[in-house]
Amino acid sequence: EADIYQTPRYLVIGTGKKITLECSQTMGHDKMYWYQQDPGMELHLIHYSYGVNSTEKGDLSSESTVSRIRTEHFPLTLESARPSHTSQYLCASSDGGAPNTEAFFGQGTRLTVV
Amino acid sequence: GESVGLHLPTLSVQEGDNSIINCAYSNSASDYFIWYKQESGKGPQFIIDIRSNMDKRQGQRVTVLLNKTVKHLSLQIAATQPGDSAVYFCAENLYSGGGADGLTFGKGTHLIIQP
């Protein structure tokens, strides 16, 4: 079982609120990722990080921001939530030192903006 | 852009039968492929992977086949069990230093197990 944790699991929030989705991993992985997934659909990469102080935007444009101050922590922030942000957000990590290794995923945060 | 897609959104099989889930990819430069299983309310879980220099790889009850000529990937699950019910995603990676930054996911196939 992967040691990567996301909180909260479920979040219902009003439009305009600022929210932060937490993600932590205890595997010492350098690489971390955020994916957005609508129900039954594929995962879309929105942010990733190669290590501390590294953040990059993914393939899917997102209004969210991320930070990587510590290796184990990769929070995602929405400054002003909108109903279009309603989705599932999945955090993942992988061993950046090894070529072609799988990513380990957290349980996800299901966000609903009303 | 390049994408990975699955042929069927839903696959229904009888318990005990073998399941075959197919995937077509379009990037001939991809060198690493992964199958993930995602159960309801959970994050994707790694099942099996295969590198482009292989055409078959076996795990416990699962086999992945890679046909680079037609850019086709399949996942075979032997003796399907109720616990196999999930959405299965294939993903491809164009090597860029490892990890999942190059992973492109398909839309997923929902495997339904009939009793």
Side-chain angles (χ1 to χ4, degrees), chain A residues 28-88:
Chain A
H29 286 166
D30 287 326
K31 290 191 170 185
M32 295 189 74
Y33 317 83
W34 277 102
Y35 287 85
Q36 185 173 339
Q37 181 187 31
D38 291 328
M41 301 298 287
E42 68 267 45
L43 284 70
H44 293 287
L45 182 67
I46 52 175
H47 297 283
Y48 62 98
S49 167
Y50 288 114
V52 172
N53 293 326
S54 155
T55 60
E56 304 286 343
K57 289 191 179 295
D59 303 323
L60 182 67
S61 176
S62 174
E63 294 168 339
S64 58
T65 59
V66 292
S67 62
R68 191 86 182 278
I69 298 173
R70 302 198 315 266
T71 297
E72 63 271 22
H73 196 213
F74 191 40
L76 180 144
T77 298
L78 274 166
E79 291 293 332
S80 180
R82 294 207 301 267
S84 61
H85 296 140
T86 294
S87 189
Q88 173 158 260

Tab-separated table of all heavy atoms in Angstrom, chain A residues 28-88:
chain	number	residue	atom	x	y	z
A	28	GLY	N	9.783	9.424	0.459
A	28	GLY	CA	10.997	10.129	0.068
A	28	GLY	C	11.102	10.376	-1.429
A	28	GLY	O	12.197	10.622	-1.948
A	29	HIS	N	9.963	10.330	-2.114
A	29	HIS	CA	9.986	10.536	-3.560
A	29	HIS	C	10.247	11.996	-3.915
A	29	HIS	O	9.688	12.910	-3.309
A	29	HIS	CB	8.647	10.126	-4.169
A	29	HIS	CG	8.461	8.645	-4.226
A	29	HIS	ND1	7.234	8.054	-4.476
A	29	HIS	CD2	9.338	7.627	-4.076
A	29	HIS	CE1	7.379	6.744	-4.483
A	29	HIS	NE2	8.636	6.451	-4.226
A	30	ASP	N	11.083	12.179	-4.943
A	30	ASP	CA	11.354	13.535	-5.404
A	30	ASP	C	10.204	14.090	-6.244
A	30	ASP	O	9.881	15.258	-6.180
A	30	ASP	CB	12.637	13.566	-6.241
A	30	ASP	CG	13.885	13.399	-5.390
A	30	ASP	OD1	13.878	13.876	-4.240
A	30	ASP	OD2	14.853	12.790	-5.870
A	31	LYS	N	9.619	13.252	-7.059
A	31	LYS	CA	8.600	13.731	-7.995
A	31	LYS	C	7.207	13.608	-7.398
A	31	LYS	O	6.835	12.573	-6.849
A	31	LYS	CB	8.663	12.956	-9.302
A	31	LYS	CG	9.893	13.262	-10.123
A	31	LYS	CD	9.781	12.676	-11.517
A	31	LYS	CE	10.898	13.197	-12.397
A	31	LYS	NZ	10.759	12.733	-13.794
A	32	MET	N	6.444	14.674	-7.538
A	32	MET	CA	5.045	14.655	-7.108
A	32	MET	C	4.177	15.318	-8.166
A	32	MET	O	4.656	16.162	-8.934
A	32	MET	CB	4.872	15.345	-5.749
A	32	MET	CG	5.591	14.603	-4.619
A	32	MET	SD	5.220	15.224	-2.976
A	32	MET	CE	3.547	14.592	-2.728
A	33	TYR	N	2.893	14.922	-8.182
A	33	TYR	CA	1.997	15.328	-9.264
A	33	TYR	C	0.599	15.582	-8.718
A	33	TYR	O	0.184	14.983	-7.727
A	33	TYR	CB	1.876	14.222	-10.319
A	33	TYR	CG	3.176	13.551	-10.679
A	33	TYR	CD1	3.690	12.526	-9.910
A	33	TYR	CD2	3.893	13.971	-11.794
A	33	TYR	CE1	4.892	11.922	-10.227
A	33	TYR	CE2	5.092	13.373	-12.123
A	33	TYR	CZ	5.583	12.354	-11.346
A	33	TYR	OH	6.774	11.760	-11.662
A	34	TRP	N	-0.115	16.449	-9.426
A	34	TRP	CA	-1.555	16.610	-9.206
A	34	TRP	C	-2.271	16.325	-10.520
A	34	TRP	O	-1.921	16.881	-11.567
A	34	TRP	CB	-1.903	18.022	-8.737
A	34	TRP	CG	-1.726	18.234	-7.266
A	34	TRP	CD1	-0.700	18.859	-6.637
A	34	TRP	CD2	-2.619	17.822	-6.230
A	34	TRP	NE1	-0.898	18.866	-5.274
A	34	TRP	CE2	-2.066	18.233	-5.001
A	34	TRP	CE3	-3.848	17.154	-6.224
A	34	TRP	CZ2	-2.688	17.995	-3.768
A	34	TRP	CZ3	-4.472	16.917	-5.004
A	34	TRP	CH2	-3.882	17.335	-3.800
A	35	TYR	N	-3.292	15.459	-10.426
A	35	TYR	CA	-4.133	15.160	-11.571
A	35	TYR	C	-5.563	15.568	-11.249
A	35	TYR	O	-6.008	15.498	-10.104
A	35	TYR	CB	-4.132	13.660	-11.884
A	35	TYR	CG	-2.854	13.143	-12.497
A	35	TYR	CD1	-1.785	12.769	-11.697
A	35	TYR	CD2	-2.724	13.012	-13.874
A	35	TYR	CE1	-0.616	12.289	-12.258
A	35	TYR	CE2	-1.558	12.529	-14.444
A	35	TYR	CZ	-0.516	12.170	-13.631
A	35	TYR	OH	0.638	11.700	-14.189
A	36	GLN	N	-6.283	15.946	-12.277
A	36	GLN	CA	-7.705	16.224	-12.153
A	36	GLN	C	-8.461	15.152	-12.933
A	36	GLN	O	-8.063	14.796	-14.052
A	36	GLN	CB	-8.034	17.613	-12.717
A	36	GLN	CG	-9.473	18.039	-12.513
A	36	GLN	CD	-9.715	19.477	-12.934
A	36	GLN	OE1	-8.788	20.284	-13.022
A	36	GLN	NE2	-10.958	19.817	-13.187
A	37	GLN	N	-9.520	14.616	-12.321
A	37	GLN	CA	-10.259	13.537	-12.955
A	37	GLN	C	-11.751	13.731	-12.770
A	37	GLN	O	-12.241	13.740	-11.638
A	37	GLN	CB	-9.842	12.181	-12.360
A	37	GLN	CG	-10.547	10.998	-12.984
A	37	GLN	CD	-10.248	9.687	-12.286
A	37	GLN	OE1	-10.022	9.653	-11.089
A	37	GLN	NE2	-10.231	8.600	-13.040
A	38	ASP	N	-12.486	13.838	-13.864
A	38	ASP	CA	-13.941	13.830	-13.798
A	38	ASP	C	-14.408	12.375	-13.730
A	38	ASP	O	-13.704	11.472	-14.186
A	38	ASP	CB	-14.532	14.549	-15.000
A	38	ASP	CG	-14.264	16.042	-14.943
A	38	ASP	OD1	-14.209	16.593	-13.823
A	38	ASP	OD2	-14.092	16.666	-16.002
A	39	PRO	N	-15.595	12.110	-13.186
A	39	PRO	CA	-16.047	10.733	-12.983
A	39	PRO	C	-15.983	9.877	-14.248
A	39	PRO	O	-16.515	10.258	-15.294
A	39	PRO	CB	-17.487	10.919	-12.507
A	39	PRO	CG	-17.509	12.248	-11.862
A	39	PRO	CD	-16.562	13.098	-12.669
A	40	GLY	N	-15.308	8.744	-14.153
A	40	GLY	CA	-15.234	7.808	-15.262
A	40	GLY	C	-14.346	8.244	-16.408
A	40	GLY	O	-14.312	7.578	-17.443
A	41	MET	N	-13.657	9.341	-16.213
A	41	MET	CA	-12.840	9.870	-17.305
A	41	MET	C	-11.358	9.701	-17.003
A	41	MET	O	-10.964	9.253	-15.929
A	41	MET	CB	-13.157	11.354	-17.525
A	41	MET	CG	-14.610	11.622	-17.866
A	41	MET	SD	-15.109	10.841	-19.404
A	41	MET	CE	-14.268	11.885	-20.600
A	42	GLU	N	-10.544	10.055	-17.996
A	42	GLU	CA	-9.099	9.902	-17.811
A	42	GLU	C	-8.551	10.955	-16.869
A	42	GLU	O	-9.206	11.936	-16.554
A	42	GLU	CB	-8.382	9.988	-19.173
A	42	GLU	CG	-8.420	11.346	-19.832
A	42	GLU	CD	-9.578	11.494	-20.791
A	42	GLU	OE1	-10.710	11.090	-20.425
A	42	GLU	OE2	-9.349	12.025	-21.897
A	43	LEU	N	-7.334	10.727	-16.428
A	43	LEU	CA	-6.647	11.664	-15.556
A	43	LEU	C	-5.923	12.715	-16.397
A	43	LEU	O	-5.304	12.389	-17.408
A	43	LEU	CB	-5.614	10.930	-14.697
A	43	LEU	CG	-6.115	10.112	-13.520
A	43	LEU	CD1	-6.867	8.865	-13.959
A	43	LEU	CD2	-4.955	9.739	-12.617
A	44	HIS	N	-5.995	13.945	-15.962
A	44	HIS	CA	-5.293	15.031	-16.645
A	44	HIS	C	-4.296	15.659	-15.678
A	44	HIS	O	-4.667	16.088	-14.573
A	44	HIS	CB	-6.280	16.100	-17.117
A	44	HIS	CG	-7.201	15.626	-18.199
A	44	HIS	ND1	-6.772	15.424	-19.503
A	44	HIS	CD2	-8.499	15.305	-18.184
A	44	HIS	CE1	-7.788	15.017	-20.229
A	44	HIS	NE2	-8.848	14.922	-19.459
A	45	LEU	N	-3.055	15.739	-16.102
A	45	LEU	CA	-2.001	16.306	-15.261
A	45	LEU	C	-2.145	17.820	-15.215
A	45	LEU	O	-2.182	18.484	-16.255
A	45	LEU	CB	-0.636	15.921	-15.838
A	45	LEU	CG	0.579	16.386	-15.072
A	45	LEU	CD1	0.654	15.673	-13.718
A	45	LEU	CD2	1.856	16.126	-15.874
A	46	ILE	N	-2.224	18.394	-14.012
A	46	ILE	CA	-2.351	19.848	-13.874
A	46	ILE	C	-1.100	20.494	-13.270
A	46	ILE	O	-0.795	21.645	-13.582
A	46	ILE	CB	-3.613	20.244	-13.077
A	46	ILE	CG1	-3.698	19.507	-11.736
A	46	ILE	CG2	-4.866	19.990	-13.895
A	46	ILE	CD1	-4.876	19.965	-10.869
A	47	HIS	N	-0.377	19.767	-12.431
A	47	HIS	CA	0.864	20.302	-11.860
A	47	HIS	C	1.812	19.150	-11.551
A	47	HIS	O	1.371	18.037	-11.265
A	47	HIS	CB	0.613	21.047	-10.534
A	47	HIS	CG	-0.250	22.246	-10.652
A	47	HIS	ND1	0.201	23.451	-11.145
A	47	HIS	CD2	-1.549	22.433	-10.314
A	47	HIS	CE1	-0.787	24.329	-11.110
A	47	HIS	NE2	-1.857	23.740	-10.615
A	48	TYR	N	3.115	19.440	-11.571
A	48	TYR	CA	4.072	18.461	-11.091
A	48	TYR	C	5.301	19.162	-10.545
A	48	TYR	O	5.505	20.369	-10.766
A	48	TYR	CB	4.434	17.434	-12.167
A	48	TYR	CG	5.088	17.966	-13.413
A	48	TYR	CD1	6.473	17.923	-13.571
A	48	TYR	CD2	4.324	18.457	-14.464
A	48	TYR	CE1	7.071	18.382	-14.728
A	48	TYR	CE2	4.910	18.920	-15.620
A	48	TYR	CZ	6.282	18.873	-15.762
A	48	TYR	OH	6.872	19.321	-16.915
A	49	SER	N	6.084	18.382	-9.834
A	49	SER	CA	7.272	18.931	-9.185
A	49	SER	C	8.385	17.895	-9.243
A	49	SER	O	8.160	16.709	-8.991
A	49	SER	CB	6.954	19.280	-7.724
A	49	SER	OG	8.131	19.524	-6.993
A	50	TYR	N	9.600	18.364	-9.538
A	50	TYR	CA	10.753	17.466	-9.578
A	50	TYR	C	11.452	17.372	-8.224
A	50	TYR	O	12.305	16.511	-8.019
A	50	TYR	CB	11.761	17.932	-10.621
A	50	TYR	CG	11.321	17.710	-12.050
A	50	TYR	CD1	11.060	18.798	-12.883
A	50	TYR	CD2	11.177	16.438	-12.569
A	50	TYR	CE1	10.672	18.604	-14.201
A	50	TYR	CE2	10.783	16.231	-13.882
A	50	TYR	CZ	10.534	17.321	-14.689
A	50	TYR	OH	10.142	17.126	-15.979
A	51	GLY	N	11.106	18.303	-7.338
A	51	GLY	CA	11.728	18.307	-6.031
A	51	GLY	C	11.441	19.619	-5.327
A	51	GLY	O	10.649	20.447	-5.816
A	52	VAL	N	12.089	19.840	-4.198
A	52	VAL	CA	11.858	21.059	-3.419
A	52	VAL	C	12.110	22.291	-4.280
A	52	VAL	O	13.095	22.354	-5.022
A	52	VAL	CB	12.761	21.058	-2.175
A	52	VAL	CG1	12.698	22.398	-1.460
A	52	VAL	CG2	12.363	19.933	-1.232
A	53	ASN	N	11.188	23.234	-4.170
A	53	ASN	CA	11.229	24.522	-4.879
A	53	ASN	C	11.042	24.387	-6.392
A	53	ASN	O	11.243	25.364	-7.122
A	53	ASN	CB	12.536	25.279	-4.593
A	53	ASN	CG	12.638	25.719	-3.141
A	53	ASN	OD1	11.632	26.049	-2.526
A	53	ASN	ND2	13.837	25.711	-2.603
A	54	SER	N	10.655	23.225	-6.849
A	54	SER	CA	10.365	23.004	-8.268
A	54	SER	C	8.864	22.809	-8.451
A	54	SER	O	8.270	21.960	-7.772
A	54	SER	CB	11.110	21.766	-8.758
A	54	SER	OG	10.461	21.186	-9.883
A	55	THR	N	8.243	23.602	-9.323
A	55	THR	CA	6.847	23.382	-9.687
A	55	THR	C	6.682	23.679	-11.173
A	55	THR	O	7.281	24.634	-11.687
A	55	THR	CB	5.869	24.273	-8.891
A	55	THR	OG1	6.163	25.649	-9.134
A	55	THR	CG2	5.941	23.990	-7.396
A	56	GLU	N	5.900	22.851	-11.836
A	56	GLU	CA	5.660	23.003	-13.262
A	56	GLU	C	4.182	22.821	-13.546
A	56	GLU	O	3.506	22.063	-12.840
A	56	GLU	CB	6.446	21.949	-14.056
A	56	GLU	CG	7.941	21.931	-13.810
A	56	GLU	CD	8.666	23.096	-14.448
A	56	GLU	OE1	8.075	23.741	-15.346
A	56	GLU	OE2	9.808	23.373	-14.049
A	57	LYS	N	3.699	23.468	-14.590
A	57	LYS	CA	2.308	23.266	-14.998
A	57	LYS	C	2.216	22.033	-15.888
A	57	LYS	O	3.128	21.734	-16.668
A	57	LYS	CB	1.788	24.503	-15.731
A	57	LYS	CG	1.581	25.699	-14.812
A	57	LYS	CD	0.820	26.795	-15.498
A	57	LYS	CE	0.588	27.973	-14.575
A	57	LYS	NZ	-0.303	27.593	-13.446
A	58	GLY	N	1.102	21.347	-15.788
A	58	GLY	CA	0.892	20.147	-16.563
A	58	GLY	C	0.205	20.418	-17.887
A	58	GLY	O	0.159	21.543	-18.373
A	59	ASP	N	-0.347	19.352	-18.453
A	59	ASP	CA	-0.952	19.448	-19.781
A	59	ASP	C	-2.272	20.203	-19.761
A	59	ASP	O	-2.622	20.874	-20.722
A	59	ASP	CB	-1.195	18.038	-20.340
A	59	ASP	CG	0.092	17.244	-20.393
A	59	ASP	OD1	1.141	17.832	-20.688
A	59	ASP	OD2	0.036	16.030	-20.124
A	60	LEU	N	-3.014	20.065	-18.666
A	60	LEU	CA	-4.326	20.698	-18.571
A	60	LEU	C	-4.196	22.002	-17.800
A	60	LEU	O	-3.667	22.033	-16.684
A	60	LEU	CB	-5.318	19.777	-17.858
A	60	LEU	CG	-6.762	20.296	-17.717
A	60	LEU	CD1	-7.419	20.380	-19.090
A	60	LEU	CD2	-7.563	19.411	-16.779
A	61	SER	N	-4.655	23.067	-18.425
A	61	SER	CA	-4.592	24.370	-17.771
A	61	SER	C	-5.470	24.376	-16.519
A	61	SER	O	-6.589	23.868	-16.527
A	61	SER	CB	-5.073	25.454	-18.735
A	61	SER	OG	-5.116	26.709	-18.092
A	62	SER	N	-4.944	24.930	-15.460
A	62	SER	CA	-5.688	24.963	-14.209
A	62	SER	C	-5.475	26.305	-13.536
A	62	SER	O	-4.401	26.903	-13.639
A	62	SER	CB	-5.217	23.839	-13.287
A	62	SER	OG	-5.827	23.941	-12.016
A	63	GLU	N	-6.491	26.781	-12.854
A	63	GLU	CA	-6.383	28.033	-12.107
A	63	GLU	C	-5.794	27.812	-10.724
A	63	GLU	O	-5.627	28.760	-9.958
A	63	GLU	CB	-7.761	28.686	-12.014
A	63	GLU	CG	-8.281	29.138	-13.378
A	63	GLU	CD	-9.737	29.518	-13.359
A	63	GLU	OE1	-10.460	29.089	-12.447
A	63	GLU	OE2	-10.164	30.234	-14.273
A	64	SER	N	-5.460	26.593	-10.398
A	64	SER	CA	-4.879	26.289	-9.107
A	64	SER	C	-3.374	26.568	-9.120
A	64	SER	O	-2.763	26.708	-10.190
A	64	SER	CB	-5.119	24.819	-8.751
A	64	SER	OG	-4.570	23.991	-9.750
A	65	THR	N	-2.801	26.667	-7.916
A	65	THR	CA	-1.358	26.828	-7.766
A	65	THR	C	-0.857	25.773	-6.788
A	65	THR	O	-1.626	25.228	-5.995
A	65	THR	CB	-0.991	28.224	-7.240
A	65	THR	OG1	-1.639	28.423	-5.965
A	65	THR	CG2	-1.425	29.306	-8.207
A	66	VAL	N	0.438	25.496	-6.856
A	66	VAL	CA	1.043	24.510	-5.965
A	66	VAL	C	2.327	25.082	-5.385
A	66	VAL	O	2.865	26.065	-5.884
A	66	VAL	CB	1.357	23.188	-6.686
A	66	VAL	CG1	0.077	22.456	-7.084
A	66	VAL	CG2	2.238	23.435	-7.907
A	67	SER	N	2.800	24.442	-4.343
A	67	SER	CA	4.079	24.806	-3.757
A	67	SER	C	4.783	23.531	-3.310
A	67	SER	O	4.138	22.510	-3.041
A	67	SER	CB	3.895	25.755	-2.571
A	67	SER	OG	3.147	25.124	-1.542
A	68	ARG	N	6.108	23.577	-3.217
A	68	ARG	CA	6.890	22.415	-2.776
A	68	ARG	C	8.032	22.929	-1.904
A	68	ARG	O	9.158	23.097	-2.340
A	68	ARG	CB	7.436	21.658	-3.994
A	68	ARG	CG	8.031	20.307	-3.631
A	68	ARG	CD	7.026	19.213	-3.573
A	68	ARG	NE	7.575	17.941	-3.177
A	68	ARG	CZ	8.197	17.099	-4.000
A	68	ARG	NH1	8.374	17.418	-5.278
A	68	ARG	NH2	8.643	15.944	-3.559
A	69	ILE	N	7.693	23.163	-0.669
A	69	ILE	CA	8.676	23.672	0.283
A	69	ILE	C	9.406	22.539	0.969
A	69	ILE	O	10.574	22.656	1.347
A	69	ILE	CB	7.980	24.586	1.314
A	69	ILE	CG1	7.356	25.787	0.605
A	69	ILE	CG2	8.967	25.064	2.378
A	69	ILE	CD1	6.504	26.649	1.503
A	70	ARG	N	8.698	21.406	1.107
A	70	ARG	CA	9.301	20.218	1.712
A	70	ARG	C	9.114	19.047	0.757
A	70	ARG	O	8.129	18.992	0.020
A	70	ARG	CB	8.662	19.896	3.061
A	70	ARG	CG	8.746	21.012	4.077
A	70	ARG	CD	8.498	20.485	5.487
A	70	ARG	NE	7.366	19.576	5.598
A	70	ARG	CZ	6.142	19.955	5.939
A	70	ARG	NH1	5.880	21.212	6.155
A	70	ARG	NH2	5.174	19.057	6.054
A	71	THR	N	10.038	18.113	0.789
A	71	THR	CA	9.976	16.960	-0.114
A	71	THR	C	8.660	16.210	0.016
A	71	THR	O	8.077	15.770	-0.973
A	71	THR	CB	11.132	15.995	0.184
A	71	THR	OG1	12.369	16.656	-0.060
A	71	THR	CG2	11.059	14.747	-0.692
A	72	GLU	N	8.180	16.072	1.246
A	72	GLU	CA	7.039	15.195	1.483
A	72	GLU	C	5.682	15.867	1.283
A	72	GLU	O	4.665	15.212	1.327
A	72	GLU	CB	7.112	14.623	2.902
A	72	GLU	CG	7.033	15.664	4.020
A	72	GLU	CD	8.393	16.206	4.407
A	72	GLU	OE1	9.344	16.124	3.597
A	72	GLU	OE2	8.513	16.731	5.534
A	73	HIS	N	5.670	17.165	1.019
A	73	HIS	CA	4.413	17.908	1.047
A	73	HIS	C	4.224	18.680	-0.260
A	73	HIS	O	5.129	19.419	-0.691
A	73	HIS	CB	4.450	18.868	2.250
A	73	HIS	CG	3.120	19.400	2.621
A	73	HIS	ND1	2.956	20.673	3.140
A	73	HIS	CD2	1.883	18.867	2.562
A	73	HIS	CE1	1.672	20.892	3.373
A	73	HIS	NE2	1.006	19.811	3.035
A	74	PHE	N	3.028	18.561	-0.868
A	74	PHE	CA	2.772	19.198	-2.166
A	74	PHE	C	1.323	19.690	-2.194
A	74	PHE	O	0.458	19.120	-2.861
A	74	PHE	CB	3.028	18.170	-3.277
A	74	PHE	CG	3.071	18.728	-4.674
A	74	PHE	CD1	3.686	19.942	-4.959
A	74	PHE	CD2	2.520	18.005	-5.732
A	74	PHE	CE1	3.760	20.435	-6.257
A	74	PHE	CE2	2.586	18.490	-7.036
A	74	PHE	CZ	3.196	19.697	-7.295
A	75	PRO	N	1.030	20.782	-1.498
A	75	PRO	CA	-0.355	21.263	-1.427
A	75	PRO	C	-0.787	21.994	-2.694
A	75	PRO	O	0.022	22.629	-3.387
A	75	PRO	CB	-0.319	22.232	-0.230
A	75	PRO	CG	1.103	22.702	-0.190
A	75	PRO	CD	1.942	21.546	-0.644
A	76	LEU	N	-2.073	21.902	-2.979
A	76	LEU	CA	-2.676	22.582	-4.132
A	76	LEU	C	-3.684	23.587	-3.607
A	76	LEU	O	-4.508	23.263	-2.750
A	76	LEU	CB	-3.358	21.545	-5.039
A	76	LEU	CG	-4.051	22.066	-6.304
A	76	LEU	CD1	-3.893	21.069	-7.440
A	76	LEU	CD2	-5.525	22.329	-6.062
A	77	THR	N	-3.645	24.807	-4.137
A	77	THR	CA	-4.489	25.890	-3.647
A	77	THR	C	-5.330	26.480	-4.774
A	77	THR	O	-4.827	26.703	-5.886
A	77	THR	CB	-3.640	27.009	-3.020
A	77	THR	OG1	-2.928	26.478	-1.897
A	77	THR	CG2	-4.520	28.165	-2.542
A	78	LEU	N	-6.594	26.696	-4.455
A	78	LEU	CA	-7.490	27.453	-5.331
A	78	LEU	C	-7.826	28.739	-4.603
A	78	LEU	O	-8.423	28.713	-3.532
A	78	LEU	CB	-8.763	26.662	-5.620
A	78	LEU	CG	-8.727	25.664	-6.774
A	78	LEU	CD1	-9.921	24.743	-6.721
A	78	LEU	CD2	-8.656	26.393	-8.104
A	79	GLU	N	-7.453	29.884	-5.162
A	79	GLU	CA	-7.666	31.171	-4.489
A	79	GLU	C	-9.147	31.535	-4.407
A	79	GLU	O	-9.601	32.119	-3.441
A	79	GLU	CB	-6.901	32.271	-5.213
A	79	GLU	CG	-5.393	32.167	-5.078
A	79	GLU	CD	-4.896	32.415	-3.655
A	79	GLU	OE1	-5.567	33.146	-2.901
A	79	GLU	OE2	-3.843	31.862	-3.293
A	80	SER	N	-9.898	31.189	-5.456
A	80	SER	CA	-11.317	31.536	-5.491
A	80	SER	C	-12.066	30.416	-6.222
A	80	SER	O	-12.066	30.375	-7.452
A	80	SER	CB	-11.510	32.882	-6.196
A	80	SER	OG	-12.883	33.237	-6.247
A	81	ALA	N	-12.645	29.533	-5.447
A	81	ALA	CA	-13.280	28.352	-6.036
A	81	ALA	C	-14.518	28.717	-6.850
A	81	ALA	O	-15.276	29.632	-6.500
A	81	ALA	CB	-13.654	27.370	-4.924
A	82	ARG	N	-14.699	27.985	-7.952
A	82	ARG	CA	-15.886	28.169	-8.808
A	82	ARG	C	-16.507	26.812	-9.080
A	82	ARG	O	-15.826	25.778	-9.004
A	82	ARG	CB	-15.481	28.820	-10.128
A	82	ARG	CG	-14.969	30.237	-10.004
A	82	ARG	CD	-15.227	30.998	-11.298
A	82	ARG	NE	-14.577	30.359	-12.439
A	82	ARG	CZ	-13.368	30.706	-12.854
A	82	ARG	NH1	-12.689	31.622	-12.217
A	82	ARG	NH2	-12.850	30.114	-13.898
A	83	PRO	N	-17.777	26.771	-9.457
A	83	PRO	CA	-18.420	25.477	-9.762
A	83	PRO	C	-17.673	24.673	-10.822
A	83	PRO	O	-17.695	23.433	-10.782
A	83	PRO	CB	-19.807	25.898	-10.246
A	83	PRO	CG	-20.096	27.156	-9.494
A	83	PRO	CD	-18.765	27.870	-9.428
A	84	SER	N	-16.988	25.343	-11.753
A	84	SER	CA	-16.230	24.629	-12.791
A	84	SER	C	-15.040	23.873	-12.213
A	84	SER	O	-14.447	23.029	-12.898
A	84	SER	CB	-15.745	25.604	-13.866
A	84	SER	OG	-14.890	26.591	-13.301
A	85	HIS	N	-14.680	24.161	-10.968
A	85	HIS	CA	-13.582	23.453	-10.313
A	85	HIS	C	-14.040	22.140	-9.678
A	85	HIS	O	-13.223	21.375	-9.167
A	85	HIS	CB	-12.937	24.334	-9.234
A	85	HIS	CG	-12.291	25.566	-9.778
A	85	HIS	ND1	-12.379	26.802	-9.146
A	85	HIS	CD2	-11.542	25.776	-10.888
A	85	HIS	CE1	-11.707	27.704	-9.851
A	85	HIS	NE2	-11.207	27.104	-10.915
A	86	THR	N	-15.335	21.891	-9.711
A	86	THR	CA	-15.863	20.642	-9.160
A	86	THR	C	-15.282	19.457	-9.914
A	86	THR	O	-15.426	19.351	-11.133
A	86	THR	CB	-17.399	20.622	-9.250
A	86	THR	OG1	-17.932	21.647	-8.399
A	86	THR	CG2	-17.944	19.271	-8.819
A	87	SER	N	-14.600	18.580	-9.183
A	87	SER	CA	-13.907	17.452	-9.807
A	87	SER	C	-13.245	16.628	-8.705
A	87	SER	O	-13.331	16.967	-7.524
A	87	SER	CB	-12.843	17.957	-10.787
A	87	SER	OG	-12.311	16.893	-11.549
A	88	GLN	N	-12.578	15.561	-9.122
A	88	GLN	CA	-11.732	14.820	-8.192
A	88	GLN	C	-10.279	15.189	-8.479
A	88	GLN	O	-9.863	15.252	-9.635
A	88	GLN	CB	-11.914	13.314	-8.323
A	88	GLN	CG	-10.910	12.535	-7.468
A	88	GLN	CD	-11.347	11.130	-7.138
A	88	GLN	OE1	-11.843	10.842	-6.060
A	88	GLN	NE2	-11.163	10.247	-8.114
